[in-house]
Amino acid sequence: MDNSIDNNTCNIKENPFFLPYGTPYGAVPYDRIALEHFVPAVKEAIRLENEIIDKICSNSESATFDNTIAALEFSGVKLSEIVGAFNALVNARSYDEILAVEEEIELLYTAHRNNVSLNAVLFERVKSVYHGDRSGLDKVQCRLLDETYKGFVRSGANLEGEEREEYRKLTEQLATLSIRFQENSIKDTDAFTLHITDMQELEGLPADVVDAARNNAVENGKKGWLFTLHRPSYLPFITFCRNRELRRQMFMAYNTIGAKGNSFDNREIVKQTVNARLRLARLLGYNTYADYVLAGRMAQNTDAVYSMLGKLTWSYLPVAHRELDEIKELAAQCEGDGFEFKPWDFAFYSERLKEKKYNLSDEETRPYFELNQCIYGMFYVATRLYGLTFKQNHDVPTFNPDVKVWEVYDYDGKYLALLYCDFFARKGKHAGAWMDSITPQYVDRDGVNHRPHITLSTNYRKPMPDKPSLLNFDELNTLMHEFGHCLHGILSNVKYPSQCSPNVLWDFVEMPSQIMENFASEECVLNHFAFHHITGENMPAEMLESIKAARNFNVGYQCVRQVGLGLTDQAWHNIQEPFEGDVVEYEHLATAALRVMRPESGTAITPQFGHIMSGGYAAGYYSYKWAEMLDADAYSLFKENGVLDMKIAQSFRDNILSQGDSEHPMELYLRFRGHKPQIEPLLQRDGIPTICPHL
């Protein structure tokens, strides 16, 4: 991939996006695409979509589902492909020049979507079909019609005059703020390093972590060891380093990302973002931005969200306090009287307690979770459940040299998808793990089923010449989680692009991913891939038992943490007046009622909370716990029939994974499970006795 960029004027006839790709399965030809090709390609795709929209608007015939709704639905397929191809690139390598192009593309795309949604003639035709005779439409078409109409309304189509222009300006402002928030987070993460030259300060750190830090130092022209805030470096450091002062330094640097008062500070962007969202919601007739968002979700309103978060708080908070007390007690035993427990002690002594209680540590399990074996393990689950097979393809051009590509085939040998996997952390890459689509699945008007191209991205430690990439159990869970999202996309089988998986209601999208996490701790799965990467021996039976026994270790603390993030999100998006206060203080106030440990001064999650500030989860972070309730209830059916039961898996595929948004998710869930989701299986799985009787 050529990183050079000269200008935005590129002969469209020579642009690779508009030439025959000549690649396996029509894969994006990243080997022939330069950065300078993207903006002209986006502009041309917008022009082509506008031509189709102009034809829809100028059609002298009465508006129908086919000549208006379906025509509009397929009008933006090329633009979606180009934007999807660019997003895969920018998420993997956020160099400054790429970020500059990202901002231009985001503003072009936002302006275009506004032009479509605020097109009065187009909306009149959509409205005519919406209020017209539906007798000839099937259930899927009716849902597309309803969602298209609601999409226009929720995007300002009913606004007039100055309010329409204000809506346009607000959406463009929010697009810019999102990019700047994201850019600051990446740069503030990259800006910090901990340089160690004294070997004694490395005491407690695993050998592979030390080797990676030495390699990092060499790459940066330094002697000794270099640690960063990227997860493969930060998490083992905060968990195993015996030097408490160094743990403190790393903890404070990580937990003040976006809030250090430097040029990467996000606090002013947070204020501008939540205030712009509030104003947008008010323009559209909602009291708060949360009201606006939740009107289009399974939860429907804030009462349902707060009710769920309240039940979880009352059920898990006492457990969290007991767990923390146990960790503090161990720390006091080790450190002596007068020891003041701090947040940078939590991971360190939590790991010590897990070792003591379950005779289990991450460093003992890592040798059994070599990345390639874990990849085989996730593919094994997909094969057993759905009959899928995976074949690596070395000829598909990729957006980064680290990326590997697999062809995915169905049980009958029919091609289903391409799966791009980008596993390793590197400078400039977005933090965390995610799934995305380069191209969606849909059936075109000629009946051709276009199969999806899916990306799976994580931030694992890159292998070194003499050391493979070894995962801990949490990282294995993350891999299975993101692969669950990928399966949702791979198995999509719908007609219309906007309905393809995983384009479902936001508080349903996490259910297929979280259900996959359950298989990571099943003995019948681990026995097929958890082999020692040197000896080839199976994971010992006692270690398997310890993994299962430790599954609920700190379950209360982890749940309360997630609830706290959900409450933080709701606090920001339920404001009813423009916010001008202190971002950190407001966050701490929002979560005070369920606080397990007092936060350190200056630390906060909001200034780096990309999920809600730049990642699409605004007013929707609760969906992780909502989906966890769904996944526990759904997985209980697998447990009843054998976790690898293909009959249950086929029902899950037919009723959930393949259906996308062709029907309301509650209808799909009821068809699969036979009843509405219940919270009891989640509590049972987590070993929580009961819900607060007052709720």
Side-chain angles (χ1 to χ4, degrees):
M1 172 82 196
D2 185 355
N3 283 319
S4 64
I5 178 168
D6 297 321
N7 53 58
N8 289 334
T9 59
C10 176
N11 188 338
I12 208 65
K13 293 182 180 179
E14 298 176 359
N15 192 302
F17 281 110
F18 296 94
L19 294 172
Y21 284 180
T23 54
Y25 304 102
V28 172
Y30 282 107
D31 56 338
R32 290 187 279 118
I33 295 173
L35 200 53
E36 65 191 45
H37 291 128
F38 280 101
V39 170
V42 167
K43 290 179 177 179
E44 176 64 8
I46 288 174
R47 187 190 68 79
L48 293 173
E49 184 174 0
N50 284 337
E51 281 188 354
I52 297 173
I53 291 172
D54 288 344
K55 290 179 181 178
I56 295 172
C57 293
S58 62
N59 193 334
S60 59
E61 298 178 1
S62 298
T64 65
F65 178 88
D66 189 60
N67 70 21
T68 300
I69 306 302
L72 179 62
E73 175 72 7
F74 291 106
S75 65
V77 168
K78 187 63 180 179
L79 177 59
S80 175
E81 176 185 319
I82 296 167
V83 172
F86 181 74
N87 286 340
L89 174 67
V90 76
N91 287 338
R93 292 192 305 195
S94 294
Y95 297 124
D96 285 345
E97 66 265 24
I98 296 179
L99 288 167
V101 175
E102 180 187 21
E103 184 164 358
E104 185 170 2
I105 288 176
E106 184 65 30
L107 290 176
L108 282 169
Y109 187 78
T110 301
H112 173 61
R113 298 323 309 166
N114 283 338
N115 289 338
V116 174
S117 64
L118 299 176
N119 185 322
V121 176
L122 181 61
F123 181 52
E124 282 303 314
R125 290 184 67 86
V126 170
K127 188 160 53 174
S128 175
V129 182
Y130 178 76
H131 291 297
D133 181 15
R134 300 190 177 198
S135 59
L137 303 181
D138 61 28
K139 194 172 185 178
V140 172
Q141 291 171 322
C142 286
R143 179 156 180 83
L144 178 63
L145 174 56
D146 289 340
E147 293 304 305
T148 301
Y149 175 78
K150 286 192 293 185
F152 270 84
V153 173
R154 289 174 61 81
S155 298
N158 281 327
L159 300 177
E160 296 180 355
E162 293 182 0
E163 288 188 338
R164 289 169 66 91
E165 290 310 306
E166 185 177 3
Y167 174 86
R168 186 187 297 273
K169 290 178 181 178
L170 284 169
T171 56
E172 292 174 358
Q173 178 191 3
L174 285 167
T176 299
L177 290 170
S178 173
I179 293 170
R180 290 177 181 170
F181 183 96
Q182 179 177 282
E183 179 180 358
N184 283 345
S185 296
I186 292 170
K187 289 186 174 181
D188 206 19
T189 299
D190 289 344
F192 176 87
T193 57
L194 179 65
H195 184 207
I196 294 176
T197 56
D198 184 353
M199 182 175 288
Q200 291 183 344
E201 294 179 339
L202 302 174
E203 186 181 358
L205 290 171
D208 60 335
V209 176
V210 173
D211 289 342
R214 181 190 297 113
N215 190 56
N216 191 21
V218 171
E219 290 178 353
N220 285 273
K222 296 180 181 292
K223 295 181 179 180
W225 301 267
L226 201 64
F227 295 89
T228 72
L229 299 183
H230 298 284
R231 291 178 70 84
S233 181
Y234 173 78
L235 287 181
F237 192 95
I238 205 75
T239 303
F240 295 102
C241 181
R242 293 188 181 278
N243 188 313
R244 192 179 187 222
E245 169 56 22
L246 294 182
R247 292 204 311 269
R248 185 196 68 80
Q249 291 178 31
M250 288 286 278
F251 177 90
M252 291 302 296
Y254 186 88
N255 287 277
T256 54
I257 291 173
K260 294 185 176 71
N262 56 17
S263 59
F264 310 134
D265 199 297
N266 272 328
R267 284 174 287 186
E268 188 59 34
I269 292 177
V270 168
K271 294 181 186 181
Q272 294 175 25
T273 298
V274 297
N275 290 341
R277 287 171 176 169
L278 173 61
R279 179 56 191 155
L280 185 144
R282 291 285 172 81
L283 277 177
L284 297 173
Y286 296 90
N287 191 42
T288 69
Y289 190 75
D291 291 335
Y292 164 68
V293 169
L294 294 171
R297 303 286 166 88
M298 286 182 76
Q300 297 186 323
N301 55 59
T302 55
D303 287 345
V305 172
Y306 280 118
S307 175
M308 182 199 70
L309 295 178
K311 290 177 181 178
L312 291 172
T313 299
W314 280 104
S315 298
Y316 286 82
L317 187 58
V319 179
H321 279 293
R322 290 197 296 270
E323 291 167 346
L324 182 60
D325 287 344
E326 196 173 7
I327 294 169
K328 284 183 174 181
E329 182 179 347
L330 177 62
Q333 291 173 4
C334 295
E335 300 289 344
D337 295 337
F339 176 72
E340 184 182 2
F341 191 89
K342 289 287 189 177
W344 46 85
D345 299 314
F346 181 84
F348 182 81
Y349 283 104
S350 177
E351 181 69 13
R352 304 290 85 72
L353 181 62
K354 186 171 71 172
E355 293 173 5
K356 180 180 179 181
K357 292 183 70 171
Y358 305 104
N359 192 29
L360 185 70
S361 73
D362 282 350
E363 295 316 299
E364 289 176 334
T365 58
R366 277 187 189 276
Y368 296 91
F369 295 141
E370 191 271 327
L371 177 58
N372 289 315
Q373 284 298 111
C374 292
I375 295 168
Y376 170 80
M378 74 180 189
F379 287 167
Y380 168 77
V381 174
T383 300
R384 282 295 310 268
L385 292 177
Y386 309 114
L388 306 186
T389 55
F390 300 81
K391 178 184 177 183
Q392 191 169 355
N393 187 315
H394 299 278
D395 298 323
V396 173
T398 62
F399 46 87
N400 187 279
D402 288 342
V403 176
K404 297 180 179 180
V405 183
W406 279 269
E407 303 164 2
V408 188
Y409 296 92
D410 211 342
Y411 61 88
D412 58 0
K414 189 175 181 179
Y415 164 75
L416 283 176
L418 287 182
L419 176 63
Y420 295 71
C421 294
D422 183 15
F423 293 118
F424 305 123
R426 55 184 168 270
K427 187 175 181 180
K429 184 179 179 181
H430 286 198
W434 63 92
M435 167 269 181
D436 211 342
S437 297
I438 297 176
T439 57
Q441 179 273 322
Y442 65 97
V443 179
D444 66 25
R445 306 187 89 172
D446 295 323
V448 177
N449 193 332
H450 295 255
R451 300 308 306 171
H453 296 174
I454 304 295
T455 65
L456 188 165
S457 300
T458 59
N459 273 277
Y460 300 144
R461 189 181 306 130
K462 194 171 183 177
M464 292 180 287
D466 58 341
K467 290 185 181 295
S469 181
L470 303 177
L471 310 187
N472 63 27
F473 187 69
D474 286 342
E475 289 169 330
L476 172 62
N477 263 332
T478 297
L479 182 67
M480 296 295 278
H481 177 102
E482 298 306 332
F483 186 58
H485 280 307
C486 292
L487 288 176
H488 200 189
I490 288 167
L491 296 174
S492 176
N493 194 31
V494 301
K495 182 174 182 180
Y496 300 108
S498 67
Q499 293 182 341
C500 76
S501 305
N503 294 338
V504 298
L505 296 189
W506 210 267
D507 44 8
F508 191 62
V509 74
E510 294 296 336
M511 195 271 275
S513 58
Q514 293 191 179
I515 205 168
M516 280 297 293
E517 292 184 34
N518 293 279
F519 295 99
S521 58
E522 294 289 354
E523 185 173 350
C524 61
V525 173
L526 290 171
N527 280 335
H528 279 272
F529 77 91
F531 309 124
H532 196 285
H533 73 100
I534 295 176
T535 67
E537 296 177 352
N538 282 82
M539 180 177 282
E542 57 270 22
M543 188 176 288
L544 282 170
E545 288 302 314
S546 294
I547 286 176
K548 289 192 291 184
R551 175 167 182 165
N552 289 340
F553 180 66
N554 284 348
V555 67
Y557 181 89
Q558 295 301 332
C559 179
V560 169
R561 179 181 180 276
Q562 284 294 98
V563 171
L565 294 174
L567 287 176
T568 299
D569 176 29
Q570 291 301 312
W572 284 118
H573 296 109
N574 275 287
I575 59 172
Q576 298 185 33
E577 298 292 337
F579 181 83
E580 300 298 339
D582 184 288
V583 169
V584 175
E585 287 182 5
Y586 183 74
E587 175 192 312
H588 291 173
L589 180 63
T591 57
L594 50 76
R595 185 174 299 153
V596 180
M597 275 192 294
R598 180 165 37 171
E600 288 298 301
S601 177
T603 63
I605 187 64
T606 299
Q608 59 172 301
F609 202 171
H611 275 78
I612 68 170
M613 292 299 163
S614 62
Y617 278 82
Y621 196 83
Y622 74 91
S623 61
Y624 280 101
K625 298 309 294 184
W626 184 280
E628 199 172 337
M629 174 181 67
L630 297 177
D631 112 67
D633 188 49
Y635 193 68
S636 65
L637 187 58
F638 282 88
K639 295 286 284 187
E640 290 171 11
N641 293 271
V643 294
L644 294 176
D645 185 274
M646 291 190 71
K647 184 177 179 180
I648 299 300
Q650 188 63 42
S651 175
F652 189 67
R653 174 178 178 171
D654 291 344
N655 292 304
I656 305 290
L657 299 179
S658 68
Q659 296 300 315
D661 196 50
S662 59
E663 297 182 57
H664 192 281
M666 188 59 77
E667 294 180 26
L668 299 177
Y669 189 86
L670 285 169
R671 194 180 306 149
F672 168 71
R673 192 63 184 91
H675 60 239
K676 288 187 176 182
Q678 302 171 350
I679 199 170
E680 284 74 19
L682 173 60
L683 299 174
Q684 182 179 10
R685 185 177 71 185
D686 288 349
I688 305 298
T690 185
I691 309 175
C692 173
H694 303 297
L695 295 174

